[in-house]
Amino acid sequence: MDFEGKIISREISELLWESEKTVATAESCTGGRIAEAIISVPGASKYFKGGIICYVNEVKENLLGVSHELLEEKTAVCEEVAVEMVKGACKALNTDYAVAATGIAGPSGGTKEIPVGTIWLACGTPEKIVTCKVEEDHGRDINLAIATNRAMQMLRDFLSAENTSTAETESK
């Protein structure tokens, strides 16, 4: 993990420690890299409950509750599936937050409609989820590194906003 990644992991750790909340991951194409980044900080067992590596649609459906119809209609590489993965991970692992990734890292597997390098990321709570689409192909390793870093940035920013709004509510 690069230096920036370590800083982001530390910031996520601090935000979760302060809020006493928990997080999980639901990862397809990233295969556990986001979970690895989260647990790189000592003491992560206080807030990280686990991750589900859902590389195939069967696991997305059976463990995360992603709709079979949605997967058939839109494929696994879409914003809606990433959102369902967040909801499913929160439910399956009983966490406050989750972060998810689904996409095509390459070098093959892409189509004209969904080219290699297309990765949907999502994070949040079952009620409030933000998403991000990564679209450039830089080769498998770099695609996965970019997706992991972007997912960690999203989670940090989401937690930061949540902590700020909670602090504002408590001060009123």
Side-chain angles (χ1 to χ4, degrees):
M1 181 183 322
D2 64 1
F3 184 68
E4 180 187 2
K6 289 181 181 185
I7 291 171
I8 293 170
S9 295
R10 173 70 61 196
E11 291 169 342
I12 289 170
S13 173
E14 290 169 1
L15 289 162
L16 288 166
W17 269 88
E18 289 170 14
S19 65
E20 297 184 358
K21 303 279 185 173
T22 56
V23 69
T25 60
E27 300 182 66
S28 185
C29 61
T30 51
R33 287 169 177 82
I34 299 168
E36 180 182 24
I38 292 171
I39 63 116
S40 69
V41 178
S45 60
K46 182 177 192 285
Y47 52 83
F48 182 72
K49 285 196 173 181
I52 296 173
I53 308 302
C54 48
Y55 217 64
V56 297
N57 288 350
E58 174 188 357
V59 177
K60 289 176 183 73
E61 290 179 46
N62 295 338
L63 293 182
L64 296 173
V66 175
S67 158
H68 177 78
E69 292 74 23
L70 176 61
L71 290 164
E72 287 290 315
E73 182 183 319
K74 293 210 167 186
T75 80
V77 186
C78 69
E79 182 177 27
E80 295 87 347
V81 167
V83 166
E84 290 299 308
M85 289 169 64
V86 167
K87 292 177 182 179
C90 285
K91 182 177 180 183
L93 296 168
N94 190 31
T95 60
D96 301 295
Y97 305 105
V99 58
T102 183
I104 303 170
S108 61
T111 64
K112 183 179 179 189
E113 297 80 22
I114 307 171
V116 169
T118 304
I119 300 172
W120 276 100
L121 305 170
C123 76
T125 68
E127 299 80 29
K128 182 180 176 186
I129 298 170
V130 296
T131 62
C132 173
K133 184 180 184 185
V134 177
E135 296 187 85
E136 294 183 25
D137 181 18
H138 301 282
R140 182 178 183 82
D141 291 341
I142 294 173
N143 292 346
L144 293 172
I146 289 169
T148 300
N149 287 339
R150 186 79 50 84
M152 293 294 285
Q153 291 167 357
M154 283 177 59
L155 178 59
R156 178 203 51 207
D157 295 347
F158 187 90
L159 294 172
S160 206
E162 287 283 294
N163 282 6
T164 300
S165 65
T166 301
E168 288 171 0
T169 304
E170 290 173 357
S171 69
K172 290 182 180 178

